[in-house]
Amino acid sequence: MFSANENLLLRQHKRRIVEKVESMMPEDALDMGTSVMVMQVSCTAPGCVPLETAIIIVFPNASTELVPQLPESQNGGSYKTKILKPMADVTDDDILDALPPVFEGGRRTMARLCRAARDVMLAQITQLFEEEDDSKKDRLEMAAYLQQCLQRYIDNDCIAPEFGEAFEEKTIAEGDAGKGDESKANGGNFVIRRSAEDDTFTPALNGGGSAEGASSSSAFLRNSSSGADAFANTQFVVGNAVATEPSSLLERAYAPGVHQAACPCCNPDDPDVVASNMMNF
């Protein structure tokens, strides 16, 4: 609870801020009934400043923009902004920085906001590690970590994790095969997965979906003890999408990478091939 004197001071600061905001607005907007509300708000969320000043400009129902180039100024809209300080500490410069250039003297732009956030982050690093040569390694390590966190924040649709917690690792379920965005997450890895009947044959080769990866996969199959049966029951997966049905390759006379048991071209030294050639003579 505030005392009588504190309430009086708050009203004085509120009136000062309201008058400054109104001085930055067109007279026509004020004549039509635009009102400015200022309040001091406490915040207990992690990372929040204890007290902040909220400014709300409520416009009357008008068919045109009462403040040019401000869409919120028509059809009974409202414009909201805030200053991360208690009302007693708010200066005229803070008000100018909180309102966009469509208000007279306003300086709130995305570039200024980005620089302010950057300065806060860099100031935190400087406070934790003094700008000395022996702390340069620590500053580099923290900067690299923050860079990684910002990228994770972007990848997570700009949703921050719980305060003090790390970002959750995203995994791709096998049942989501064929989804384009998730398949890209695997980076095109060439994966061979055995059918559910026999899970003993589950090689995963990082061939990147290239011809080199495919040939190395075929060599693995040729050298495996399961032979053609293993190949017939194997699924070829690029990312998470099944690329082809390998069992159909066995129906071809000379499937690429598949050696038929009595093929005169693939196995000329096979006893059946030798016997067949002798019979032909």
Side-chain angles (χ1 to χ4, degrees):
M1 297 295 292
F2 295 104
S3 65
N5 290 334
E6 290 175 332
N7 284 330
L8 178 61
L9 289 174
L10 284 177
R11 286 197 298 269
Q12 292 175 351
H13 291 305
K14 178 179 179 180
R15 189 179 305 112
R16 173 176 59 84
I17 297 171
V18 169
E19 290 176 354
K20 179 60 179 178
V21 173
E22 289 180 346
S23 69
M24 301 170 63
M25 298 177 57
E27 290 291 338
D28 294 343
L30 296 174
D31 293 341
M32 293 187 65
T34 301
S35 60
V36 179
M37 296 185 297
V38 178
M39 61 190 73
Q40 184 169 272
V41 181
S42 62
C43 180
T44 58
C48 269
V49 295
L51 292 173
E52 60 188 28
T53 300
I55 301 175
I56 305 175
I57 305 173
V58 181
F59 296 93
N61 191 5
S63 58
T64 59
E65 295 178 350
L66 298 180
V67 177
Q69 302 181 21
L70 184 68
E72 294 88 344
S73 65
Q74 65 179 353
N75 300 325
S78 61
Y79 181 82
K80 305 178 183 64
T81 186
K82 61 183 177 179
I83 302 171
L84 303 181
K85 293 180 179 180
M87 284 197 294
D89 296 338
V90 173
T91 65
D92 287 353
D93 283 337
D94 293 330
I95 299 173
L96 295 177
D97 291 338
L99 294 174
V102 294
F103 294 89
E104 185 179 354
R107 301 188 296 223
R108 179 187 175 96
T109 62
M110 180 55 68
R112 290 180 66 91
L113 291 174
C114 290
R115 284 196 296 269
R118 177 206 63 188
D119 292 342
V120 170
M121 184 180 298
L122 297 180
Q124 288 288 327
I125 297 178
T126 304
Q127 291 177 13
L128 292 172
F129 307 105
E130 296 295 335
E131 292 187 353
E132 300 175 357
D133 292 339
D134 56 353
S135 66
K136 182 178 180 179
K137 180 180 178 182
D138 295 328
R139 286 183 278 123
L140 286 173
E141 184 175 350
M142 178 166 285
Y145 172 76
L146 292 174
Q147 182 183 29
Q148 182 184 20
C149 288
L150 288 174
Q151 185 59 53
R152 294 294 302 276
Y153 179 71
I154 294 173
D155 296 339
N156 202 40
D157 296 330
C158 295
I159 299 175
E162 294 293 333
F163 188 78
E165 300 293 333
F167 283 94
E168 293 184 1
E169 295 291 338
K170 288 187 177 181
T171 57
I172 301 176
E174 293 187 5
D176 294 335
K179 293 185 178 180
D181 292 339
E182 293 180 348
S183 296
K184 294 178 182 178
N186 275 350
N189 290 342
F190 193 93
V191 181
I192 303 177
R193 189 174 295 119
R194 184 69 183 273
S195 63
E197 296 178 359
D198 185 1
D199 58 357
T200 59
F201 182 76
T202 54
L205 303 177
N206 188 7
S210 63
E212 181 181 356
S215 62
S216 61
S217 304
S218 301
F220 184 92
L221 292 172
R222 288 197 300 271
N223 296 331
S224 66
S225 59
S226 302
D229 292 338
F231 184 82
N233 293 326
T234 303
Q235 288 184 334
F236 283 73
V237 182
V238 178
N240 268 335
V242 177
T244 184
E245 185 65 34
S247 59
S248 62
L249 297 177
L250 295 180
E251 300 174 0
R252 298 165 57 182
Y254 300 99
V258 179
H259 288 203
Q260 297 291 333
C263 174
C265 298
C266 300
N267 295 307
D269 297 329
D270 187 272
D272 292 338
V273 175
V274 174
S276 177
N277 291 336
M278 292 180 63
M279 293 294 293
N280 291 334
F281 284 115

PDB file of all heavy atoms in Angstrom, residues 40 49 51-54 83-91 94:
ATOM      1  N   GLN A  40       1.444   2.312 -13.278  1.00  0.00           N
ATOM      2  CA  GLN A  40       2.647   1.620 -12.828  1.00  0.00           C
ATOM      3  C   GLN A  40       2.293   0.178 -12.508  1.00  0.00           C
ATOM      4  O   GLN A  40       1.373  -0.077 -11.733  1.00  0.00           O
ATOM      5  CB  GLN A  40       3.230   2.324 -11.600  1.00  0.00           C
ATOM      6  CG  GLN A  40       4.542   1.739 -11.119  1.00  0.00           C
ATOM      7  CD  GLN A  40       5.214   2.614 -10.083  1.00  0.00           C
ATOM      8  OE1 GLN A  40       5.965   3.516 -10.417  1.00  0.00           O
ATOM      9  NE2 GLN A  40       4.934   2.357  -8.804  1.00  0.00           N
ATOM     10  N   VAL A  49      11.655  -6.467 -14.762  1.00  0.00           N
ATOM     11  CA  VAL A  49      12.001  -5.428 -13.805  1.00  0.00           C
ATOM     12  C   VAL A  49      10.891  -5.368 -12.759  1.00  0.00           C
ATOM     13  O   VAL A  49       9.725  -5.657 -13.073  1.00  0.00           O
ATOM     14  CB  VAL A  49      12.162  -4.071 -14.514  1.00  0.00           C
ATOM     15  CG1 VAL A  49      13.334  -4.108 -15.469  1.00  0.00           C
ATOM     16  CG2 VAL A  49      10.882  -3.681 -15.250  1.00  0.00           C
ATOM     17  N   LEU A  51       9.223  -2.926 -11.285  1.00  0.00           N
ATOM     18  CA  LEU A  51       8.171  -1.962 -11.593  1.00  0.00           C
ATOM     19  C   LEU A  51       8.394  -1.399 -12.988  1.00  0.00           C
ATOM     20  O   LEU A  51       9.521  -1.048 -13.359  1.00  0.00           O
ATOM     21  CB  LEU A  51       8.166  -0.808 -10.575  1.00  0.00           C
ATOM     22  CG  LEU A  51       7.756  -1.150  -9.142  1.00  0.00           C
ATOM     23  CD1 LEU A  51       7.962   0.056  -8.229  1.00  0.00           C
ATOM     24  CD2 LEU A  51       6.305  -1.622  -9.085  1.00  0.00           C
ATOM     25  N   GLU A  52       7.338  -1.334 -13.775  1.00  0.00           N
ATOM     26  CA  GLU A  52       7.408  -0.774 -15.115  1.00  0.00           C
ATOM     27  C   GLU A  52       6.225   0.150 -15.347  1.00  0.00           C
ATOM     28  O   GLU A  52       5.187   0.033 -14.672  1.00  0.00           O
ATOM     29  CB  GLU A  52       7.444  -1.873 -16.175  1.00  0.00           C
ATOM     30  CG  GLU A  52       6.230  -2.778 -16.167  1.00  0.00           C
ATOM     31  CD  GLU A  52       6.380  -3.971 -17.093  1.00  0.00           C
ATOM     32  OE1 GLU A  52       7.527  -4.401 -17.331  1.00  0.00           O
ATOM     33  OE2 GLU A  52       5.347  -4.468 -17.581  1.00  0.00           O
ATOM     34  N   THR A  53       6.365   1.052 -16.289  1.00  0.00           N
ATOM     35  CA  THR A  53       5.329   2.029 -16.595  1.00  0.00           C
ATOM     36  C   THR A  53       4.643   1.647 -17.899  1.00  0.00           C
ATOM     37  O   THR A  53       5.313   1.545 -18.944  1.00  0.00           O
ATOM     38  CB  THR A  53       5.927   3.437 -16.710  1.00  0.00           C
ATOM     39  OG1 THR A  53       6.552   3.788 -15.469  1.00  0.00           O
ATOM     40  CG2 THR A  53       4.854   4.462 -17.031  1.00  0.00           C
ATOM     41  N   ALA A  54       3.351   1.398 -17.850  1.00  0.00           N
ATOM     42  CA  ALA A  54       2.558   1.049 -19.024  1.00  0.00           C
ATOM     43  C   ALA A  54       1.814   2.274 -19.526  1.00  0.00           C
ATOM     44  O   ALA A  54       1.220   3.026 -18.745  1.00  0.00           O
ATOM     45  CB  ALA A  54       1.570  -0.065 -18.683  1.00  0.00           C
ATOM     46  N   ILE A  83       7.537   1.320 -20.549  1.00  0.00           N
ATOM     47  CA  ILE A  83       8.888   1.755 -20.214  1.00  0.00           C
ATOM     48  C   ILE A  83       9.336   0.942 -19.006  1.00  0.00           C
ATOM     49  O   ILE A  83       8.620   0.862 -18.006  1.00  0.00           O
ATOM     50  CB  ILE A  83       8.919   3.262 -19.895  1.00  0.00           C
ATOM     51  CG1 ILE A  83       8.401   4.056 -21.099  1.00  0.00           C
ATOM     52  CG2 ILE A  83      10.324   3.709 -19.532  1.00  0.00           C
ATOM     53  CD1 ILE A  83       8.196   5.537 -20.810  1.00  0.00           C
ATOM     54  N   LEU A  84      10.485   0.326 -19.108  1.00  0.00           N
ATOM     55  CA  LEU A  84      10.943  -0.595 -18.069  1.00  0.00           C
ATOM     56  C   LEU A  84      11.553   0.161 -16.886  1.00  0.00           C
ATOM     57  O   LEU A  84      12.698  -0.084 -16.478  1.00  0.00           O
ATOM     58  CB  LEU A  84      11.941  -1.599 -18.660  1.00  0.00           C
ATOM     59  CG  LEU A  84      11.421  -2.422 -19.844  1.00  0.00           C
ATOM     60  CD1 LEU A  84      12.482  -3.393 -20.329  1.00  0.00           C
ATOM     61  CD2 LEU A  84      10.140  -3.148 -19.488  1.00  0.00           C
ATOM     62  N   LYS A  85      10.771   1.079 -16.353  1.00  0.00           N
ATOM     63  CA  LYS A  85      11.167   1.869 -15.195  1.00  0.00           C
ATOM     64  C   LYS A  85       9.915   2.222 -14.401  1.00  0.00           C
ATOM     65  O   LYS A  85       8.816   2.298 -14.972  1.00  0.00           O
ATOM     66  CB  LYS A  85      11.859   3.176 -15.624  1.00  0.00           C
ATOM     67  CG  LYS A  85      13.193   3.023 -16.297  1.00  0.00           C
ATOM     68  CD  LYS A  85      13.760   4.394 -16.661  1.00  0.00           C
ATOM     69  CE  LYS A  85      15.114   4.296 -17.316  1.00  0.00           C
ATOM     70  NZ  LYS A  85      15.648   5.649 -17.649  1.00  0.00           N
ATOM     71  N   PRO A  86      10.039   2.470 -13.115  1.00  0.00           N
ATOM     72  CA  PRO A  86       8.889   3.022 -12.376  1.00  0.00           C
ATOM     73  C   PRO A  86       8.597   4.445 -12.839  1.00  0.00           C
ATOM     74  O   PRO A  86       9.461   5.128 -13.403  1.00  0.00           O
ATOM     75  CB  PRO A  86       9.350   2.965 -10.918  1.00  0.00           C
ATOM     76  CG  PRO A  86      10.832   2.910 -10.980  1.00  0.00           C
ATOM     77  CD  PRO A  86      11.190   2.196 -12.234  1.00  0.00           C
ATOM     78  N   MET A  87       7.360   4.912 -12.607  1.00  0.00           N
ATOM     79  CA  MET A  87       6.959   6.218 -13.112  1.00  0.00           C
ATOM     80  C   MET A  87       7.853   7.344 -12.609  1.00  0.00           C
ATOM     81  O   MET A  87       8.109   8.319 -13.319  1.00  0.00           O
ATOM     82  CB  MET A  87       5.494   6.495 -12.731  1.00  0.00           C
ATOM     83  CG  MET A  87       4.497   5.733 -13.577  1.00  0.00           C
ATOM     84  SD  MET A  87       2.831   6.399 -13.474  1.00  0.00           S
ATOM     85  CE  MET A  87       2.437   6.072 -11.755  1.00  0.00           C
ATOM     86  N   ALA A  88       8.341   7.227 -11.388  1.00  0.00           N
ATOM     87  CA  ALA A  88       9.173   8.294 -10.821  1.00  0.00           C
ATOM     88  C   ALA A  88      10.482   8.463 -11.574  1.00  0.00           C
ATOM     89  O   ALA A  88      11.069   9.557 -11.562  1.00  0.00           O
ATOM     90  CB  ALA A  88       9.440   8.004  -9.348  1.00  0.00           C
ATOM     91  N   ASP A  89      10.947   7.407 -12.261  1.00  0.00           N
ATOM     92  CA  ASP A  89      12.235   7.459 -12.955  1.00  0.00           C
ATOM     93  C   ASP A  89      12.100   7.735 -14.442  1.00  0.00           C
ATOM     94  O   ASP A  89      13.114   7.855 -15.145  1.00  0.00           O
ATOM     95  CB  ASP A  89      12.989   6.140 -12.758  1.00  0.00           C
ATOM     96  CG  ASP A  89      13.342   5.883 -11.299  1.00  0.00           C
ATOM     97  OD1 ASP A  89      13.396   6.862 -10.528  1.00  0.00           O
ATOM     98  OD2 ASP A  89      13.542   4.704 -10.943  1.00  0.00           O
ATOM     99  N   VAL A  90      10.866   7.819 -14.949  1.00  0.00           N
ATOM    100  CA  VAL A  90      10.648   8.009 -16.382  1.00  0.00           C
ATOM    101  C   VAL A  90      10.999   9.444 -16.765  1.00  0.00           C
ATOM    102  O   VAL A  90      10.531  10.403 -16.140  1.00  0.00           O
ATOM    103  CB  VAL A  90       9.203   7.684 -16.764  1.00  0.00           C
ATOM    104  CG1 VAL A  90       8.931   8.056 -18.222  1.00  0.00           C
ATOM    105  CG2 VAL A  90       8.920   6.200 -16.546  1.00  0.00           C
ATOM    106  N   THR A  91      11.810   9.589 -17.809  1.00  0.00           N
ATOM    107  CA  THR A  91      12.196  10.902 -18.319  1.00  0.00           C
ATOM    108  C   THR A  91      11.528  11.148 -19.672  1.00  0.00           C
ATOM    109  O   THR A  91      10.920  10.250 -20.269  1.00  0.00           O
ATOM    110  CB  THR A  91      13.719  10.996 -18.474  1.00  0.00           C
ATOM    111  OG1 THR A  91      14.145  10.058 -19.476  1.00  0.00           O
ATOM    112  CG2 THR A  91      14.410  10.687 -17.160  1.00  0.00           C
ATOM    113  N   ASP A  94      12.856   8.838 -22.234  1.00  0.00           N
ATOM    114  CA  ASP A  94      12.265   7.494 -22.164  1.00  0.00           C
ATOM    115  C   ASP A  94      10.939   7.458 -22.923  1.00  0.00           C
ATOM    116  O   ASP A  94      10.626   6.463 -23.599  1.00  0.00           O
ATOM    117  CB  ASP A  94      12.041   7.091 -20.709  1.00  0.00           C
ATOM    118  CG  ASP A  94      13.347   6.904 -19.953  1.00  0.00           C
ATOM    119  OD1 ASP A  94      14.347   6.520 -20.589  1.00  0.00           O
ATOM    120  OD2 ASP A  94      13.359   7.159 -18.725  1.00  0.00           O
TER     121      ASP A  94
END
